[in-house]
Amino acid sequence: MAQLRLEPQLMIGEPWADYGLVDSGHGRKLERFGPYRFIRPEPQAFWSPRFDDWQADGEFVPGADEDGGGRWDLSPQVPDSWPLAWDDVRFNAQCTPFRHLGFFPDMAPVWKWMRAELAGKPDAQTLNMFGYTGVGTLALSQCGPVTHVDASKKSVAQARENAALAGMEDRPVRWLVDDAAKFAAREVRRENRYDGIILDPPKFGRGPKTETWRIEEGLSPLIADCAKLLDADSRFLFLTVYAVRMSSLALAALLDEAFADMPGTVEHGDLGVREEGEGRVLPTAIFARWRNSI
């Protein structure tokens, strides 16, 4: 039976060559993405900024409602997209209408962790659900075949473009435009299995055939199906959740139930990003994970 660790864990993203959290405070954050700097809203940055004057190439101005919306105020020199790199993975950054830039930099320690968990397991089969623009998929492809699933045809197309940019278009990746819950259920019926699964579900979304996803309703059955796609020889399931009013301990309880008959450990905690210059750690998301380290 998987053992639940009640004490929370921290996974902290440190600055790297093409990304850094420069400063944060007063509900905003200043970040560098390659040669450009941007200001974005950050409700959890209650504190005061370290620097008085923020010089940026663009800022996301949020809308009046709390459910999202807003617009970018960009300098003319900011291109539609530009290349960045993390480790051996190259990908394009771009200012999206959803206030992010086409990837989530706080996932960098997760990509590193997954690679370490799969070390020593040649040709590991992994599944990336809600895979978005594929940076995590490309990181996993170092370890073996990956199945990438996202409901957005545009996101999967961007993921393929990132694979070509990274010179990884020949790696064994299945790029699927599909509803994650329906795909997982079909995989269970097919009796397929994986060595690792990563999930990054939105709070609300729609599938390619207008299927409706609400995390409060869909997450529990999805996790139950994902657990059936893993076995005692598998290595991990990693779940991240953004912008919801829940505790990581609640996610851990869900995994604890789903993995009751499996070996390993269930852990939970916060993702965060450290400011440059060994500054403060800004929390960004909650996570729970089942790990079965050999």
Side-chain angles (χ1 to χ4, degrees):
M1 176 179 178
Q3 299 297 309
L4 172 62
R5 293 184 61 181
L6 291 177
E7 64 275 17
Q9 312 291 307
L10 290 177
M11 298 187 74
I12 300 173
E14 304 290 348
W16 76 82
D18 275 351
Y19 173 79
L21 175 61
V22 180
D23 197 7
S24 62
H26 293 168
R28 302 190 303 166
K29 57 185 175 183
L30 174 64
E31 301 162 288
R32 60 173 180 83
F33 292 83
Y36 305 106
R37 291 188 174 198
F38 300 96
I39 298 170
R40 295 192 288 165
E42 183 45 71
Q44 296 196 86
F46 295 112
W47 45 80
S48 299
R50 293 183 297 163
F51 308 119
D52 295 329
D53 185 23
W54 284 6
Q55 298 294 321
D57 299 288
E59 179 173 0
F60 188 87
V61 182
D65 62 286
E66 65 176 14
D67 292 328
R71 60 177 178 81
W72 283 99
D73 182 8
L74 299 173
S75 299
Q77 67 265 26
V78 177
D80 291 337
S81 65
W82 63 98
L84 300 179
W86 174 84
D87 199 65
D88 60 334
V89 179
R90 289 178 60 81
F91 52 94
N92 278 317
Q94 56 185 312
C95 296
T96 75
F98 311 104
R99 81 178 59 188
H100 52 75
L101 284 92
F103 76 106
F104 298 97
D106 57 339
M107 290 295 292
V110 180
W111 304 329
K112 183 178 179 180
W113 178 87
M114 291 189 299
R115 282 180 167 182
E117 292 295 303
L118 294 171
K121 196 173 184 68
D123 295 323
Q125 301 270 348
T126 55
L127 172 62
N128 187 1
M129 305 277 272
F130 310 96
Y132 193 40
T133 57
V135 182
T137 293
L138 297 177
L140 280 170
S141 70
Q142 181 191 78
C143 306
V146 187
T147 299
H148 174 106
V149 181
D150 197 280
S152 168
K153 184 177 181 179
K154 180 178 179 181
S155 291
V156 174
Q158 290 174 328
R160 285 179 172 272
E161 291 174 5
N162 283 335
L165 179 65
M168 297 178 176
E169 63 267 45
D170 294 331
R171 288 194 174 180
V173 177
R174 287 198 298 162
W175 305 103
L176 303 178
V177 178
D178 206 342
D179 177 80
K182 290 184 176 180
F183 175 80
R186 290 198 304 272
E187 288 291 88
V188 171
R189 292 194 295 270
R190 295 168 183 145
E191 298 184 352
N192 286 333
R193 65 165 298 280
Y194 294 90
D195 295 298
I197 298 176
I198 179 171
L199 304 98
D200 184 16
K203 182 168 58 174
F204 175 84
R206 293 195 182 277
K209 298 181 179 179
T210 69
E211 302 94 336
T212 299
W213 164 268
R214 291 183 176 84
I215 196 168
E216 299 86 353
E217 302 168 1
L219 186 57
S220 180
L222 177 59
I223 291 296
D225 279 342
C226 286
K228 296 173 185 175
L229 300 177
L230 301 165
D231 60 26
D233 292 323
S234 301
R235 295 296 174 87
F236 67 81
L237 180 143
F238 200 102
L239 167 67
T240 56
V241 175
Y242 290 80
V244 295
R245 295 186 178 97
M246 68 174 66
S247 165
S248 65
L249 187 57
L251 300 182
L254 179 60
L255 265 60
D256 187 47
E257 178 182 59
F259 289 90
D261 297 326
M262 298 278 274
T265 305
V266 172
E267 300 169 325
H268 69 99
D270 285 286
L271 297 183
V273 178
R274 192 188 309 277
E275 293 176 349
E276 293 183 323
E278 298 186 0
R280 297 162 295 205
V281 174
L282 175 67
T284 57
I286 57 175
F287 76 86
R289 65 191 183 195
W290 169 75
R291 66 190 305 184
N292 187 29
S293 301
I294 306 300

